[in-house]
Amino acid sequence: MLQRAFIIGGVVLVARLATLPRTAWDPREPEPFLAFAAFTILLSVVAAVVIALREPVAAVLFSFSAAMLVHGVSATLPYVGIAEELGLPHELNVARFTLHPWGSKIVFLPVLVAIAFGVPRVMKRRELEPLAWFTFAWLAIGIGVIDPRDGVRFAIPSLIFVSIVAAEGLKALRVPWIGACAIAALSIFYTWPLLRERVAGPSPLAQARRAQEPAVFSRSDADAWGKLTSVPQHVARVKKPEFTPGVGVYGPEQGWRWVKKYAELSDTRRLTLHLPPDAKLELNDLRVNGTPLRVRRGESVIVNAGPRVVIEAASAFPLDPPDTRTVAVQIR
């Protein structure tokens, strides 16, 4: 059993190293990226070995789930933002925490069949009851207070119990290793466009940071990006500033700039104000050079400004950790 556990751990290590991204793909991934990614890889290998000591089939299902294939080499894995004011998020998305960690339907449906056959067997194993309650509580907390964009990463600990239940189902069907390897192969097939792209070259974010001239850098629109990651944009842009920053204005981010509750700008004739769809405010009331206007979440307002612009916002909100800024609205 020990030898088999270390073999599984070795296979997981090789898989993680083979799919290690060359650069950070998420703006929240800390630097130095490779150091944090190495730490995440170590955690995933240790988890595989520990699970394999008791449940080797479950270790394969867990380690080669779509969520672990993507985030087992991601420096953002230890970083999941929890709302400062606990309460229901703007959008309840149960699938993000339960279905998406397995990828697409072609992966989740075989897992669901295995779970259906595994539940009666697991119910007889009283030693698994604490892990089951932990899983239900973990998912309930995630669905209740975690940003759905981070749901896949947050749900990873719950996959351990689900993998054990599925492994028991595969044993009941008398295909434990064939079934586990088939599900792992389907997961690799589904996530491969994403994994290949991350290994093949630098991310749009990294290219934009290095660019000296205005340019646009994009990634593919593979389905795995939307289901498994929290990266909000397909495109990273480098643009020449359209105005001179003044008081209360942050640096450019993909064409936009965040401003504080009070901001002053110069050399601005036409100004677009915007609240992104994931903003923590439903709306914000502003005064631009004394003129009142309202910006709603997911919408933009264009105003004709002047050589000098003063923005006064009624409200401001903190960005997600590790970003420590408090902002009111985006401008362009």
PDB file of all heavy atoms in Angstrom, residues 276-309:
ATOM      1  N   PRO A 276     -18.094  47.556 -12.866  1.00  0.00           N
ATOM      2  CA  PRO A 276     -18.054  46.221 -13.472  1.00  0.00           C
ATOM      3  C   PRO A 276     -19.145  45.314 -12.917  1.00  0.00           C
ATOM      4  O   PRO A 276     -19.703  45.579 -11.838  1.00  0.00           O
ATOM      5  CB  PRO A 276     -16.655  45.719 -13.095  1.00  0.00           C
ATOM      6  CG  PRO A 276     -16.272  46.502 -11.897  1.00  0.00           C
ATOM      7  CD  PRO A 276     -16.910  47.844 -12.045  1.00  0.00           C
ATOM      8  N   PRO A 277     -19.480  44.230 -13.609  1.00  0.00           N
ATOM      9  CA  PRO A 277     -20.544  43.332 -13.156  1.00  0.00           C
ATOM     10  C   PRO A 277     -20.289  42.700 -11.792  1.00  0.00           C
ATOM     11  O   PRO A 277     -21.227  42.288 -11.123  1.00  0.00           O
ATOM     12  CB  PRO A 277     -20.591  42.259 -14.261  1.00  0.00           C
ATOM     13  CG  PRO A 277     -20.018  42.926 -15.454  1.00  0.00           C
ATOM     14  CD  PRO A 277     -18.974  43.868 -14.947  1.00  0.00           C
ATOM     15  N   ASP A 278     -19.012  42.602 -11.380  1.00  0.00           N
ATOM     16  CA  ASP A 278     -18.702  41.991 -10.093  1.00  0.00           C
ATOM     17  C   ASP A 278     -18.479  43.023  -8.996  1.00  0.00           C
ATOM     18  O   ASP A 278     -17.966  42.697  -7.927  1.00  0.00           O
ATOM     19  CB  ASP A 278     -17.472  41.090 -10.218  1.00  0.00           C
ATOM     20  CG  ASP A 278     -16.257  41.854 -10.713  1.00  0.00           C
ATOM     21  OD1 ASP A 278     -16.408  43.015 -11.127  1.00  0.00           O
ATOM     22  OD2 ASP A 278     -15.144  41.281 -10.681  1.00  0.00           O
ATOM     23  N   ALA A 279     -18.845  44.286  -9.234  1.00  0.00           N
ATOM     24  CA  ALA A 279     -18.677  45.314  -8.211  1.00  0.00           C
ATOM     25  C   ALA A 279     -19.533  44.997  -6.987  1.00  0.00           C
ATOM     26  O   ALA A 279     -20.620  44.424  -7.094  1.00  0.00           O
ATOM     27  CB  ALA A 279     -19.048  46.687  -8.774  1.00  0.00           C
ATOM     28  N   LYS A 280     -19.057  45.386  -5.823  1.00  0.00           N
ATOM     29  CA  LYS A 280     -19.772  45.100  -4.584  1.00  0.00           C
ATOM     30  C   LYS A 280     -20.919  46.085  -4.332  1.00  0.00           C
ATOM     31  O   LYS A 280     -21.675  45.910  -3.380  1.00  0.00           O
ATOM     32  CB  LYS A 280     -18.794  45.110  -3.412  1.00  0.00           C
ATOM     33  CG  LYS A 280     -17.751  44.001  -3.498  1.00  0.00           C
ATOM     34  CD  LYS A 280     -16.787  44.044  -2.336  1.00  0.00           C
ATOM     35  CE  LYS A 280     -15.741  42.936  -2.479  1.00  0.00           C
ATOM     36  NZ  LYS A 280     -14.740  42.972  -1.402  1.00  0.00           N
ATOM     37  N   LEU A 281     -21.008  47.128  -5.149  1.00  0.00           N
ATOM     38  CA  LEU A 281     -22.116  48.070  -5.065  1.00  0.00           C
ATOM     39  C   LEU A 281     -23.079  47.828  -6.213  1.00  0.00           C
ATOM     40  O   LEU A 281     -22.664  47.606  -7.347  1.00  0.00           O
ATOM     41  CB  LEU A 281     -21.602  49.515  -5.136  1.00  0.00           C
ATOM     42  CG  LEU A 281     -20.707  50.021  -4.010  1.00  0.00           C
ATOM     43  CD1 LEU A 281     -20.272  51.449  -4.296  1.00  0.00           C
ATOM     44  CD2 LEU A 281     -21.409  49.948  -2.670  1.00  0.00           C
ATOM     45  N   GLU A 282     -24.370  47.896  -5.919  1.00  0.00           N
ATOM     46  CA  GLU A 282     -25.357  47.786  -6.992  1.00  0.00           C
ATOM     47  C   GLU A 282     -25.375  49.052  -7.833  1.00  0.00           C
ATOM     48  O   GLU A 282     -25.590  49.002  -9.045  1.00  0.00           O
ATOM     49  CB  GLU A 282     -26.741  47.536  -6.400  1.00  0.00           C
ATOM     50  CG  GLU A 282     -27.820  47.334  -7.452  1.00  0.00           C
ATOM     51  CD  GLU A 282     -29.174  47.026  -6.856  1.00  0.00           C
ATOM     52  OE1 GLU A 282     -29.232  46.782  -5.637  1.00  0.00           O
ATOM     53  OE2 GLU A 282     -30.167  47.039  -7.599  1.00  0.00           O
ATOM     54  N   LEU A 283     -25.138  50.187  -7.195  1.00  0.00           N
ATOM     55  CA  LEU A 283     -25.070  51.458  -7.909  1.00  0.00           C
ATOM     56  C   LEU A 283     -24.267  52.435  -7.080  1.00  0.00           C
ATOM     57  O   LEU A 283     -24.039  52.226  -5.888  1.00  0.00           O
ATOM     58  CB  LEU A 283     -26.473  52.002  -8.200  1.00  0.00           C
ATOM     59  CG  LEU A 283     -27.411  52.227  -6.995  1.00  0.00           C
ATOM     60  CD1 LEU A 283     -27.220  53.592  -6.366  1.00  0.00           C
ATOM     61  CD2 LEU A 283     -28.859  52.051  -7.435  1.00  0.00           C
ATOM     62  N   ASN A 284     -23.820  53.507  -7.724  1.00  0.00           N
ATOM     63  CA  ASN A 284     -23.099  54.563  -7.025  1.00  0.00           C
ATOM     64  C   ASN A 284     -23.546  55.906  -7.581  1.00  0.00           C
ATOM     65  O   ASN A 284     -23.606  56.105  -8.795  1.00  0.00           O
ATOM     66  CB  ASN A 284     -21.585  54.396  -7.199  1.00  0.00           C
ATOM     67  CG  ASN A 284     -20.807  55.038  -6.069  1.00  0.00           C
ATOM     68  OD1 ASN A 284     -21.370  55.777  -5.252  1.00  0.00           O
ATOM     69  ND2 ASN A 284     -19.511  54.763  -6.003  1.00  0.00           N
ATOM     70  N   ASP A 285     -23.893  56.808  -6.681  1.00  0.00           N
ATOM     71  CA  ASP A 285     -24.262  58.165  -7.069  1.00  0.00           C
ATOM     72  C   ASP A 285     -23.022  59.048  -7.062  1.00  0.00           C
ATOM     73  O   ASP A 285     -22.271  59.080  -6.074  1.00  0.00           O
ATOM     74  CB  ASP A 285     -25.313  58.727  -6.106  1.00  0.00           C
ATOM     75  CG  ASP A 285     -26.668  58.050  -6.280  1.00  0.00           C
ATOM     76  OD1 ASP A 285     -27.109  57.915  -7.440  1.00  0.00           O
ATOM     77  OD2 ASP A 285     -27.271  57.663  -5.278  1.00  0.00           O
ATOM     78  N   LEU A 286     -22.797  59.749  -8.168  1.00  0.00           N
ATOM     79  CA  LEU A 286     -21.599  60.557  -8.336  1.00  0.00           C
ATOM     80  C   LEU A 286     -21.980  61.999  -8.664  1.00  0.00           C
ATOM     81  O   LEU A 286     -23.094  62.293  -9.109  1.00  0.00           O
ATOM     82  CB  LEU A 286     -20.729  59.993  -9.473  1.00  0.00           C
ATOM     83  CG  LEU A 286     -20.422  58.499  -9.464  1.00  0.00           C
ATOM     84  CD1 LEU A 286     -19.798  58.097 -10.780  1.00  0.00           C
ATOM     85  CD2 LEU A 286     -19.492  58.154  -8.312  1.00  0.00           C
ATOM     86  N   ARG A 287     -21.013  62.862  -8.445  1.00  0.00           N
ATOM     87  CA  ARG A 287     -21.103  64.231  -8.932  1.00  0.00           C
ATOM     88  C   ARG A 287     -19.837  64.487  -9.743  1.00  0.00           C
ATOM     89  O   ARG A 287     -18.723  64.359  -9.234  1.00  0.00           O
ATOM     90  CB  ARG A 287     -21.215  65.226  -7.777  1.00  0.00           C
ATOM     91  CG  ARG A 287     -22.501  65.063  -6.965  1.00  0.00           C
ATOM     92  CD  ARG A 287     -22.582  66.106  -5.867  1.00  0.00           C
ATOM     93  NE  ARG A 287     -22.842  67.432  -6.401  1.00  0.00           N
ATOM     94  CZ  ARG A 287     -24.049  67.915  -6.670  1.00  0.00           C
ATOM     95  NH1 ARG A 287     -25.122  67.171  -6.440  1.00  0.00           N
ATOM     96  NH2 ARG A 287     -24.197  69.135  -7.159  1.00  0.00           N
ATOM     97  N   VAL A 288     -20.008  64.801 -11.016  1.00  0.00           N
ATOM     98  CA  VAL A 288     -18.887  65.092 -11.909  1.00  0.00           C
ATOM     99  C   VAL A 288     -18.928  66.576 -12.218  1.00  0.00           C
ATOM    100  O   VAL A 288     -19.850  67.049 -12.896  1.00  0.00           O
ATOM    101  CB  VAL A 288     -18.955  64.250 -13.202  1.00  0.00           C
ATOM    102  CG1 VAL A 288     -17.776  64.578 -14.112  1.00  0.00           C
ATOM    103  CG2 VAL A 288     -18.960  62.763 -12.854  1.00  0.00           C
ATOM    104  N   ASN A 289     -17.947  67.295 -11.690  1.00  0.00           N
ATOM    105  CA  ASN A 289     -17.943  68.766 -11.802  1.00  0.00           C
ATOM    106  C   ASN A 289     -19.267  69.361 -11.322  1.00  0.00           C
ATOM    107  O   ASN A 289     -19.810  70.289 -11.903  1.00  0.00           O
ATOM    108  CB  ASN A 289     -17.651  69.216 -13.235  1.00  0.00           C
ATOM    109  CG  ASN A 289     -16.196  69.023 -13.606  1.00  0.00           C
ATOM    110  OD1 ASN A 289     -15.359  68.728 -12.748  1.00  0.00           O
ATOM    111  ND2 ASN A 289     -15.875  69.188 -14.868  1.00  0.00           N
ATOM    112  N   GLY A 290     -19.787  68.756 -10.238  1.00  0.00           N
ATOM    113  CA  GLY A 290     -21.017  69.260  -9.646  1.00  0.00           C
ATOM    114  C   GLY A 290     -22.286  68.704 -10.233  1.00  0.00           C
ATOM    115  O   GLY A 290     -23.375  68.896  -9.674  1.00  0.00           O
ATOM    116  N   THR A 291     -22.213  68.016 -11.367  1.00  0.00           N
ATOM    117  CA  THR A 291     -23.406  67.461 -12.011  1.00  0.00           C
ATOM    118  C   THR A 291     -23.696  66.066 -11.479  1.00  0.00           C
ATOM    119  O   THR A 291     -22.836  65.179 -11.561  1.00  0.00           O
ATOM    120  CB  THR A 291     -23.223  67.392 -13.542  1.00  0.00           C
ATOM    121  OG1 THR A 291     -22.949  68.700 -14.040  1.00  0.00           O
ATOM    122  CG2 THR A 291     -24.470  66.829 -14.206  1.00  0.00           C
ATOM    123  N   PRO A 292     -24.873  65.814 -10.914  1.00  0.00           N
ATOM    124  CA  PRO A 292     -25.159  64.482 -10.371  1.00  0.00           C
ATOM    125  C   PRO A 292     -25.435  63.469 -11.477  1.00  0.00           C
ATOM    126  O   PRO A 292     -26.052  63.788 -12.497  1.00  0.00           O
ATOM    127  CB  PRO A 292     -26.407  64.719  -9.518  1.00  0.00           C
ATOM    128  CG  PRO A 292     -27.073  65.903 -10.146  1.00  0.00           C
ATOM    129  CD  PRO A 292     -25.966  66.768 -10.679  1.00  0.00           C
ATOM    130  N   LEU A 293     -24.980  62.261 -11.267  1.00  0.00           N
ATOM    131  CA  LEU A 293     -25.306  61.150 -12.162  1.00  0.00           C
ATOM    132  C   LEU A 293     -25.191  59.853 -11.386  1.00  0.00           C
ATOM    133  O   LEU A 293     -24.604  59.803 -10.312  1.00  0.00           O
ATOM    134  CB  LEU A 293     -24.409  61.140 -13.402  1.00  0.00           C
ATOM    135  CG  LEU A 293     -22.882  61.055 -13.208  1.00  0.00           C
ATOM    136  CD1 LEU A 293     -22.429  59.616 -13.121  1.00  0.00           C
ATOM    137  CD2 LEU A 293     -22.184  61.761 -14.349  1.00  0.00           C
ATOM    138  N   ARG A 294     -25.765  58.816 -11.936  1.00  0.00           N
ATOM    139  CA  ARG A 294     -25.801  57.509 -11.267  1.00  0.00           C
ATOM    140  C   ARG A 294     -25.240  56.442 -12.208  1.00  0.00           C
ATOM    141  O   ARG A 294     -25.617  56.378 -13.375  1.00  0.00           O
ATOM    142  CB  ARG A 294     -27.224  57.152 -10.862  1.00  0.00           C
ATOM    143  CG  ARG A 294     -27.396  55.750 -10.290  1.00  0.00           C
ATOM    144  CD  ARG A 294     -28.787  55.566  -9.717  1.00  0.00           C
ATOM    145  NE  ARG A 294     -28.938  56.332  -8.472  1.00  0.00           N
ATOM    146  CZ  ARG A 294     -30.075  56.395  -7.774  1.00  0.00           C
ATOM    147  NH1 ARG A 294     -31.150  55.746  -8.207  1.00  0.00           N
ATOM    148  NH2 ARG A 294     -30.140  57.100  -6.656  1.00  0.00           N
ATOM    149  N   VAL A 295     -24.339  55.603 -11.661  1.00  0.00           N
ATOM    150  CA  VAL A 295     -23.767  54.491 -12.415  1.00  0.00           C
ATOM    151  C   VAL A 295     -24.198  53.195 -11.744  1.00  0.00           C
ATOM    152  O   VAL A 295     -23.997  53.022 -10.536  1.00  0.00           O
ATOM    153  CB  VAL A 295     -22.224  54.565 -12.461  1.00  0.00           C
ATOM    154  CG1 VAL A 295     -21.662  53.420 -13.300  1.00  0.00           C
ATOM    155  CG2 VAL A 295     -21.769  55.905 -13.017  1.00  0.00           C
ATOM    156  N   ARG A 296     -24.791  52.290 -12.519  1.00  0.00           N
ATOM    157  CA  ARG A 296     -25.255  51.007 -11.980  1.00  0.00           C
ATOM    158  C   ARG A 296     -24.268  49.895 -12.315  1.00  0.00           C
ATOM    159  O   ARG A 296     -23.503  50.004 -13.273  1.00  0.00           O
ATOM    160  CB  ARG A 296     -26.635  50.647 -12.536  1.00  0.00           C
ATOM    161  CG  ARG A 296     -27.711  51.647 -12.130  1.00  0.00           C
ATOM    162  CD  ARG A 296     -29.076  51.228 -12.653  1.00  0.00           C
ATOM    163  NE  ARG A 296     -30.097  52.178 -12.262  1.00  0.00           N
ATOM    164  CZ  ARG A 296     -30.741  52.155 -11.095  1.00  0.00           C
ATOM    165  NH1 ARG A 296     -30.458  51.186 -10.206  1.00  0.00           N
ATOM    166  NH2 ARG A 296     -31.658  53.049 -10.807  1.00  0.00           N
ATOM    167  N   ARG A 297     -24.307  48.835 -11.516  1.00  0.00           N
ATOM    168  CA  ARG A 297     -23.426  47.689 -11.723  1.00  0.00           C
ATOM    169  C   ARG A 297     -23.629  47.111 -13.124  1.00  0.00           C
ATOM    170  O   ARG A 297     -24.742  46.870 -13.570  1.00  0.00           O
ATOM    171  CB  ARG A 297     -23.706  46.608 -10.685  1.00  0.00           C
ATOM    172  CG  ARG A 297     -22.740  45.433 -10.757  1.00  0.00           C
ATOM    173  CD  ARG A 297     -23.223  44.261  -9.928  1.00  0.00           C
ATOM    174  NE  ARG A 297     -23.395  44.635  -8.537  1.00  0.00           N
ATOM    175  CZ  ARG A 297     -24.435  44.250  -7.777  1.00  0.00           C
ATOM    176  NH1 ARG A 297     -25.398  43.505  -8.311  1.00  0.00           N
ATOM    177  NH2 ARG A 297     -24.513  44.606  -6.518  1.00  0.00           N
ATOM    178  N   GLY A 298     -22.500  46.924 -13.846  1.00  0.00           N
ATOM    179  CA  GLY A 298     -22.550  46.373 -15.192  1.00  0.00           C
ATOM    180  C   GLY A 298     -22.851  47.395 -16.271  1.00  0.00           C
ATOM    181  O   GLY A 298     -22.968  47.018 -17.445  1.00  0.00           O
ATOM    182  N   GLU A 299     -22.963  48.672 -15.918  1.00  0.00           N
ATOM    183  CA  GLU A 299     -23.305  49.688 -16.897  1.00  0.00           C
ATOM    184  C   GLU A 299     -22.238  50.776 -16.933  1.00  0.00           C
ATOM    185  O   GLU A 299     -21.426  50.917 -16.015  1.00  0.00           O
ATOM    186  CB  GLU A 299     -24.664  50.313 -16.568  1.00  0.00           C
ATOM    187  CG  GLU A 299     -25.821  49.325 -16.622  1.00  0.00           C
ATOM    188  CD  GLU A 299     -27.142  49.988 -16.309  1.00  0.00           C
ATOM    189  OE1 GLU A 299     -27.144  51.198 -15.985  1.00  0.00           O
ATOM    190  OE2 GLU A 299     -28.173  49.296 -16.370  1.00  0.00           O
ATOM    191  N   SER A 300     -22.256  51.567 -18.013  1.00  0.00           N
ATOM    192  CA  SER A 300     -21.329  52.675 -18.188  1.00  0.00           C
ATOM    193  C   SER A 300     -22.107  53.947 -18.464  1.00  0.00           C
ATOM    194  O   SER A 300     -23.207  53.907 -19.018  1.00  0.00           O
ATOM    195  CB  SER A 300     -20.354  52.399 -19.344  1.00  0.00           C
ATOM    196  OG  SER A 300     -19.586  51.243 -19.108  1.00  0.00           O
ATOM    197  N   VAL A 301     -21.529  55.070 -18.077  1.00  0.00           N
ATOM    198  CA  VAL A 301     -22.102  56.383 -18.346  1.00  0.00           C
ATOM    199  C   VAL A 301     -21.020  57.244 -18.986  1.00  0.00           C
ATOM    200  O   VAL A 301     -19.905  57.330 -18.466  1.00  0.00           O
ATOM    201  CB  VAL A 301     -22.622  57.050 -17.060  1.00  0.00           C
ATOM    202  CG1 VAL A 301     -23.106  58.466 -17.357  1.00  0.00           C
ATOM    203  CG2 VAL A 301     -23.744  56.223 -16.447  1.00  0.00           C
ATOM    204  N   ILE A 302     -21.323  57.853 -20.112  1.00  0.00           N
ATOM    205  CA  ILE A 302     -20.368  58.708 -20.819  1.00  0.00           C
ATOM    206  C   ILE A 302     -20.745  60.170 -20.556  1.00  0.00           C
ATOM    207  O   ILE A 302     -21.915  60.551 -20.678  1.00  0.00           O
ATOM    208  CB  ILE A 302     -20.374  58.424 -22.331  1.00  0.00           C
ATOM    209  CG1 ILE A 302     -19.984  56.960 -22.584  1.00  0.00           C
ATOM    210  CG2 ILE A 302     -19.426  59.358 -23.064  1.00  0.00           C
ATOM    211  CD1 ILE A 302     -20.063  56.547 -24.035  1.00  0.00           C
ATOM    212  N   VAL A 303     -19.761  60.966 -20.172  1.00  0.00           N
ATOM    213  CA  VAL A 303     -20.006  62.380 -19.910  1.00  0.00           C
ATOM    214  C   VAL A 303     -18.979  63.213 -20.668  1.00  0.00           C
ATOM    215  O   VAL A 303     -17.840  62.791 -20.871  1.00  0.00           O
ATOM    216  CB  VAL A 303     -19.932  62.694 -18.396  1.00  0.00           C
ATOM    217  CG1 VAL A 303     -21.013  61.958 -17.642  1.00  0.00           C
ATOM    218  CG2 VAL A 303     -18.560  62.328 -17.838  1.00  0.00           C
ATOM    219  N   ASN A 304     -19.401  64.369 -21.093  1.00  0.00           N
ATOM    220  CA  ASN A 304     -18.482  65.351 -21.657  1.00  0.00           C
ATOM    221  C   ASN A 304     -17.915  66.162 -20.506  1.00  0.00           C
ATOM    222  O   ASN A 304     -18.658  66.847 -19.791  1.00  0.00           O
ATOM    223  CB  ASN A 304     -19.213  66.254 -22.654  1.00  0.00           C
ATOM    224  CG  ASN A 304     -19.652  65.496 -23.888  1.00  0.00           C
ATOM    225  OD1 ASN A 304     -18.902  64.672 -24.403  1.00  0.00           O
ATOM    226  ND2 ASN A 304     -20.861  65.769 -24.360  1.00  0.00           N
ATOM    227  N   ALA A 305     -16.616  66.053 -20.313  1.00  0.00           N
ATOM    228  CA  ALA A 305     -15.993  66.640 -19.138  1.00  0.00           C
ATOM    229  C   ALA A 305     -15.388  67.997 -19.467  1.00  0.00           C
ATOM    230  O   ALA A 305     -16.074  68.919 -19.889  1.00  0.00           O
ATOM    231  CB  ALA A 305     -14.938  65.688 -18.573  1.00  0.00           C
ATOM    232  N   GLY A 306     -14.077  68.122 -19.339  1.00  0.00           N
ATOM    233  CA  GLY A 306     -13.424  69.392 -19.588  1.00  0.00           C
ATOM    234  C   GLY A 306     -11.957  69.290 -19.259  1.00  0.00           C
ATOM    235  O   GLY A 306     -11.440  68.207 -18.976  1.00  0.00           O
ATOM    236  N   PRO A 307     -11.255  70.404 -19.286  1.00  0.00           N
ATOM    237  CA  PRO A 307      -9.819  70.370 -18.990  1.00  0.00           C
ATOM    238  C   PRO A 307      -9.521  69.949 -17.561  1.00  0.00           C
ATOM    239  O   PRO A 307      -8.438  69.456 -17.277  1.00  0.00           O
ATOM    240  CB  PRO A 307      -9.361  71.804 -19.267  1.00  0.00           C
ATOM    241  CG  PRO A 307     -10.607  72.632 -19.154  1.00  0.00           C
ATOM    242  CD  PRO A 307     -11.722  71.760 -19.622  1.00  0.00           C
ATOM    243  N   ARG A 308     -10.502  70.149 -16.675  1.00  0.00           N
ATOM    244  CA  ARG A 308     -10.325  69.713 -15.282  1.00  0.00           C
ATOM    245  C   ARG A 308     -11.618  69.060 -14.818  1.00  0.00           C
ATOM    246  O   ARG A 308     -12.712  69.591 -15.029  1.00  0.00           O
ATOM    247  CB  ARG A 308      -9.983  70.885 -14.377  1.00  0.00           C
ATOM    248  CG  ARG A 308      -9.772  70.495 -12.909  1.00  0.00           C
ATOM    249  CD  ARG A 308      -9.343  71.694 -12.078  1.00  0.00           C
ATOM    250  NE  ARG A 308      -9.141  71.316 -10.679  1.00  0.00           N
ATOM    251  CZ  ARG A 308     -10.106  71.347  -9.768  1.00  0.00           C
ATOM    252  NH1 ARG A 308     -11.335  71.724 -10.099  1.00  0.00           N
ATOM    253  NH2 ARG A 308      -9.843  71.012  -8.518  1.00  0.00           N
ATOM    254  N   VAL A 309     -11.495  67.867 -14.201  1.00  0.00           N
ATOM    255  CA  VAL A 309     -12.659  67.099 -13.782  1.00  0.00           C
ATOM    256  C   VAL A 309     -12.529  66.754 -12.304  1.00  0.00           C
ATOM    257  O   VAL A 309     -11.473  66.284 -11.861  1.00  0.00           O
ATOM    258  CB  VAL A 309     -12.807  65.796 -14.601  1.00  0.00           C
ATOM    259  CG1 VAL A 309     -14.038  65.019 -14.146  1.00  0.00           C
ATOM    260  CG2 VAL A 309     -12.893  66.105 -16.086  1.00  0.00           C
TER     261      VAL A 309
END
